[in-house]
Amino acid sequence: HCIVRHPADPETVYFGCDGGVFRSTDFGSTFRSLNGGLRTTQFYNGFASAPDAPAPAIGGLQDNGTVVYDGRDSWSRVLGGDGAMCAIDPTRTSTMYASTQYGAHYRSSDGGISWDRLLEGDSRAAFVSPLLLCPSNPRILYAARQKVIRSMDGGDTWTDTNKGAVLDGNPVLVLAGSSRSADTVYAATAPLRTRMKVFATADRGTAWRNITGGLPDRYPVDIAVHPADSRIAYLALSGFGTPHVWKTTDAGAQWTDVSAGLPDLPFTALL
């Protein structure tokens, strides 16, 4: 993004890029990172950590790969590209999942040291496409392109949901699962070919219900499901000029705006 040459030493050049700040003292033949201590990295939504400890943790970085925290002072980069959605098996935290742009998904069984590719990327997927490790059963995963796909064996094999049909032809942006049952999943799609829509299934994706109702046609960024009642869910929307946080208490039959008091700014995550 920027290049600055040292005024007294023409061989010394500083570079600013998506990866931070770098210096070359031989006019670009070699580089040294100057990023130690800088807090400038942007994590995408989908950061994951151990359920009852600060480590391990894993997250995808905008244009800077995927990094793992194991309790030491620094993070370890484990995958390249644009890091995206991640997950950690709560029953065995050395088992981790990570993804890169357009839905290429990976699994590590040794805390991020080595990785196996589970799914290839797909140009029909969102750039940061969703990966859901079911809270109620970590052997069951869901991922999505225009279709939502499911694995029952920790990512070894995958099958289409919805009888192989797309939800609405738009890329799926968000997946969220119930803590009570791996059968119940919510999904939201991009407002691309048609308006944004929200869907729900209660049978592991055999059938999906359109529960969009009167929601505004905005960019959906996150869904959070109540841990004790999967009929209660919250939806966060980006954009401007319409409410940003919505709630349902009846599995999407009705949505209520709960944005009162919040600024008219894009919201990117729910917790």
Side-chain angles (χ1 to χ4, degrees):
H1 296 300
C2 58
I3 302 173
V4 177
R5 198 169 182 179
H6 196 289
D9 181 3
E11 293 295 305
T12 297
V13 186
Y14 294 85
F15 296 83
C17 63
D18 283 357
V21 182
F22 297 82
R23 180 180 64 210
S24 174
T25 57
D26 50 19
F27 201 60
S29 294
T30 60
F31 298 90
R32 179 181 177 183
S33 170
L34 305 179
N35 298 301
L38 293 179
R39 272 76 169 177
T40 56
T41 299
Q42 175 181 319
F43 282 95
Y44 280 119
N45 197 2
F47 184 92
S49 63
D52 55 2
I58 183 171
L61 308 178
Q62 189 274 324
D63 215 27
N64 280 273
T66 299
V67 291
V68 169
Y69 173 69
D70 62 5
R72 290 179 286 185
D73 290 341
S74 61
W75 297 69
S76 300
R77 185 171 297 177
V78 295
L79 290 172
D82 274 83
M85 298 288 178
C86 299
I88 292 178
D89 187 331
T91 64
R92 187 185 179 194
T93 57
S94 60
T95 298
M96 301 175 171
Y97 298 86
S99 54
T100 57
Q101 63 268 29
Y102 298 112
H105 294 302
Y106 302 81
R107 182 183 62 210
S108 172
S109 300
D110 53 16
I113 297 172
S114 61
W115 293 85
D116 297 316
R117 181 174 292 198
L118 305 178
L119 288 169
E120 299 291 336
D122 188 327
S123 61
R124 295 165 295 182
F127 188 79
V128 178
S129 66
L131 172 66
L132 170 63
L133 180 74
C134 287
S136 62
N137 185 342
R139 292 290 293 168
I140 300 178
L141 295 96
Y142 291 84
R145 286 92 164 91
Q146 292 176 324
K147 300 177 182 179
V148 178
I149 56 178
R150 182 187 67 237
S151 174
M152 302 294 293
D153 52 16
D156 288 334
T157 59
W158 297 83
T159 57
D160 290 342
T161 69
N162 203 35
K163 300 180 176 66
V166 300
L167 294 186
D168 63 0
N170 292 318
V172 179
L173 297 180
V174 184
L175 291 173
S178 166
S179 297
R180 315 283 291 181
S181 170
D183 296 349
T184 299
V185 179
Y186 292 82
T189 64
L192 186 59
R193 296 174 178 83
T194 59
R195 63 151 293 145
M196 178 276 290
K197 296 184 183 70
V198 182
F199 298 86
T201 180
D203 54 15
R204 294 187 185 177
T206 300
W208 292 84
R209 295 180 292 112
N210 184 341
I211 58 171
T212 309
L215 290 169
D217 187 16
R218 292 299 188 192
Y219 193 94
V221 286
D222 203 8
I223 298 174
V225 183
H226 194 288
D229 186 346
S230 57
R231 297 171 299 174
I232 301 174
Y234 297 83
L235 170 70
L237 300 176
S238 190
F240 297 92
T242 56
H244 295 280
V245 183
W246 295 79
K247 177 183 179 180
T248 180
T249 59
D250 51 16
Q254 292 182 315
W255 291 93
T256 302
D257 170 20
V258 291
S259 304
L262 297 176
D264 183 15
L265 295 170
F267 279 66
T268 58
L270 293 165
L271 180 61

